[in-house]
Every structure is written in structure tokens, then in C-alpha cells.
Amino acid sequence: MDEIEVPSFFLCPISLEIMKDPVILSTGITYDRMSIENWIFLRKHNNCPVTKQELTDVELTPNHTLRRLLQAWCTLNASYGIQRIPTPRPPVSTSQISKLIKDSKSPKLQMRCLKRLKSIASENETNKRLIEAAGAANFLASIIRNAKRSSDSEVLEEEFELTKPEDEALSILYQLQLSETSLKSLVGENSEFIESMIHFMKSENYESRTYAVLLLKSIFSVVEQAEMMSFRGELLKEIVHVLKDEISPKASKAALQVLIYLCPLGRNRIKASEAGAVQVIVNFLISHPSDKRFSEMALTVLELLCQCAEGRSDLLKHGAGLAVVSKRILRISRFASDRGVRIIHSIAKYSGSNSSVLQEMLQLGVVSKLCLVLQVDCGSKTKEKATEILKMHSRAWRNSPCLSTAVPSFYPA
């Protein structure tokens, strides 16, 4: 490749690499299919990368002429190690997808059709959008709901299939990366869907548990907060179990994100605390001491839970609760420090009447950490919270040897 010059019109304007499947956008510019699909469908841009024109039509037309030129050029330069670009598969049609969905309703054909549907979805983003447009989301959801009903009403028999239809349907549903409208319809029209996700999270199939919590993360990112009040406490209990079991980093992050979506509501904070969320998250922080993203998300959930009495009580009951939070301040990121100080603020404000709590904060170095927050660049709001805490309990901590001589001047007489 270093010895030959690649014609510029063979290069994708996004990736700057040789195109494998050139397609023309409505603006007339040619891109590699994977690059432009990622631009439009994954990164959610609605304009042409080159012309900046707004896209009113996202249909991608194969550029057969350029592809044939590309393949001929590859053949001519085979001696330089250039491999011929294979001819892409013809795009799947809506009628093909509709037939697959129809055939999937037959028990004998269901598993084979689902596997084919999964294979089509994995090929490119356009196929995913076509599958979604054909109504696959509600159909797949119906397989999942029906399986949940069957398991509730029948004695489970021994099965020799490694993957059941409902597991396959769940994986396809997540793989489709559904639009906001389709995600909302799963909850709005299919009232049993969340119950089905609870059912999957209870299973011994770790892959299905992961897909269930990932799908819940997507759903809760678009539903209104008012709709989050109606879910049973069992949902939060199973989310906490997924986090506790540490199935995979992906599942753990999704579980934390679901808690972040649900716990701004007071009753959900209480349900999560009753499910043991605080203890699980503190232990999680202990086992992931240096992971920035995990720490930020875990501290965000803890800050929400400490806004209720049950959450604060659970944090204080955990032998390492205060110490773990204090240790994250000024060690991970400004965001983590802010959340850590907010947690300490909740404890100091609502549990500070207990002298043993104040003494523990002093012994664990929480007070000296707060003093350090005032001296470094960590955000004005974080400093304000730290100052409030120190002023709040100035009499209890004023004569402590760990305080610098400069800090008492902030205290009221």
C-alpha cells in the first residue's frame, strides 16, 4: 500500500480508507456503507458529513459503477498485496423480512427464522432499520411475553436446546438498537414486558440476563419519569442482583445506569435500599478501585440513595462505607469528587446529630479530606458543599489536630 497511490475517489470521506461497499447518499456523495450507517444511525447525525446538508432521505443507493472500478483496480494491483473487494450481498427487502416474521409464528420454523433474522440484523444498520420498520419489535416482544406466561403456568420440562426462542428474540431485540418510538411502545403497549425482563434477570442464562438489563437501560433512557413509579420493587431487586453477580462489565454498567434512571424517585430509592443496593455498591467500589467510569456511576447511585434515610443508614452500617466514599474524593475525577462530597453532605446533615458518626468521620480522615477540597481546584459547588459540612459541625471538629490552622477561620464563632 505504501508503494502505490490510491485514487482519492476510492476512499471513504469519513474513514479515509478504501471503500468495501460504496453507497450514494441523497446528497450525491459516496461513502462506505458501514461508515455512513454509523454516522446516521449510531451517532444520530442528520446531515451529510461532506456537504453539511440536512438529510430528508436516509436511503442508501449502492454505487455499482464505483464498486466495479474498485474491484478492477484491486485486481490490477494484486501484486502489491491488494486483495480484491468482494461483491456485497444484495440488500434484504422488506418483503423478505415480513415473510421471516410470518414464518416465525410457526413453532416448527420459529428457531430457524429467528436465527436468520439475527444474521440479517448483524450485517448492517440499514437491515436493522428495515427489520424494525416491519414491526419486528412487537413480534419479538410477544415471543418474550408468551414465554414468561408459559413459565408461570406450566411445570418446566427438561429441555435440550442450548438457546430457547425467547432468548434468541431477546438478543435480536437488543441488537436492533431500537428507535425511541419503538422502545416506548414496548412499555406502553406491552404492559407485561418489564415483568418479562424481571423473569430473564432471574434466569441462570447470563447472556439473557445481560441482554435484559441492557434493554432496560435503553427503555428507561426514553420513558417519562412518571411511568417509572409503577414498577414493582422486584425490578430493583433483580437489577441489584445483576450488579452483585458481576456478570460482565457491560451488564454492571447497564445496571448502574438503570439505577441512575430510577432512583431520582423517592419510592424507588427506598425500594433499592431495601434490595441491598448500598451494600452491593460499596462492595463494588472496593473491588473496582481505579475504574473511572464505574466509580462515577456508583457514586452517583450512592448519592441518590443517601437522599433517603434507609440509604444513609445502610451506608453507615457498612464498615467501609464512609471510608470508600472519602477515598474516591480527589482521586478519580472532579465529577466523582463532587458526588463523594454530596454523599458526605447528606450524612453530615441528616445523621450528624449522632456523635459517633462525627467521630468516625474524623478518624477515617473524612474531615481532613474536606479541608483538602477547599485548597485544590475541584469546582466551586463542591467547595461550597465541603464548607457547609465543616461549618455544620465546627464545634465537634474545631480542636481536631488533623485540621489545618487556616480552616477554623471559616468557622463561625
Side-chain angles (χ1 to χ4, degrees), residues 158-177:
E158 185 177 1
E159 296 199 28
F160 296 97
E161 282 186 300
L162 291 176
T163 305
K164 300 175 185 177
E166 58 268 30
D167 293 316
E168 200 71 27
L170 178 65
S171 69
I172 297 169
L173 207 51
Y174 172 70
Q175 186 182 349
L176 289 177
Q177 299 294 299

Side-chain angles (χ1 to χ4, degrees), residues 327-359:
K327 194 171 183 180
R328 291 301 182 281
I329 298 173
L330 303 181
R331 284 201 176 190
I332 304 296
S333 65
R334 287 181 64 163
F335 182 87
S337 296
D338 178 69
R339 288 296 175 270
V341 170
R342 285 172 181 268
I343 294 167
I344 301 298
H345 187 274
S346 292
I347 298 296
K349 185 175 181 180
Y350 298 105
S351 305
S353 58
N354 188 332
S355 59
S356 63
V357 172
L358 298 180
Q359 190 61 29

Side-chain angles (χ1 to χ4, degrees), residues 77-134:
N77 291 280
S79 60
Y80 292 96
I82 304 293
Q83 294 184 344
R84 185 178 185 275
I85 291 169
T87 302
R89 291 184 185 180
V92 67
S93 67
T94 304
S95 58
Q96 286 176 290
I97 293 170
S98 298
K99 186 178 186 304
L100 270 176
I101 292 173
K102 183 180 178 181
D103 292 345
S104 296
K105 295 175 183 177
S106 165
K108 291 183 178 179
L109 299 175
Q110 190 171 76
M111 201 61 187
R112 188 176 71 187
C113 290
L114 288 174
K115 286 183 180 295
R116 175 62 183 144
L117 205 59
K118 187 176 184 178
S119 174
I120 292 171
S122 67
E123 287 177 9
N124 53 60
E125 292 297 320
T126 300
N127 285 359
K128 290 175 186 175
R129 302 288 74 81
L130 286 172
I131 293 171
E132 181 180 355

Side-chain angles (χ1 to χ4, degrees), residues 296-405:
E296 289 177 343
M297 295 178 78
L299 288 169
T300 299
V301 178
L302 271 186
E303 191 259 323
L304 290 168
L305 296 178
C306 283
Q307 291 176 34
C308 72
E310 292 81 359
R312 292 190 295 273
S313 175
D314 288 345
L315 184 68
L316 292 172
K317 283 177 184 175
H318 195 295
L322 283 174
V324 165
V325 172
S326 176
K327 194 171 183 180
R328 291 301 182 281
I329 298 173
L330 303 181
R331 284 201 176 190
I332 304 296
S333 65
R334 287 181 64 163
F335 182 87
S337 296
D338 178 69
R339 288 296 175 270
V341 170
R342 285 172 181 268
I343 294 167
I344 301 298
H345 187 274
S346 292
I347 298 296
K349 185 175 181 180
Y350 298 105
S351 305
S353 58
N354 188 332
S355 59
S356 63
V357 172
L358 298 180
Q359 190 61 29
E360 183 183 1
M361 292 172 77
L362 198 58
Q363 291 173 347
L364 291 172
V366 175
V367 179
S368 57
K369 181 64 73 79
L370 292 172
C371 294
L372 189 57
V373 166
L374 300 180
Q375 301 171 44
V376 299
D377 180 22
C378 60
S380 58
K381 290 186 181 289
T382 306
K383 288 188 177 186
E384 285 173 17
K385 289 284 183 186
T387 302
E388 281 180 36
I389 299 167
L390 293 170
K391 285 184 176 181
M392 209 182 295
H393 300 293
S394 59
R395 301 197 192 285
W397 295 333
R398 186 165 190 166
N399 296 322
S400 170
C402 72
L403 297 176
S404 70
T405 55

Side-chain angles (χ1 to χ4, degrees), residues 213-231:
V213 74
L214 286 168
L215 199 51
L216 284 172
K217 183 190 82 167
S218 298
I219 290 170
F220 290 135
S221 70
V222 299
V223 300
E224 300 294 331
Q225 275 210 343
E227 296 179 62
M228 299 183 190
M229 297 176 66
S230 58
F231 304 127

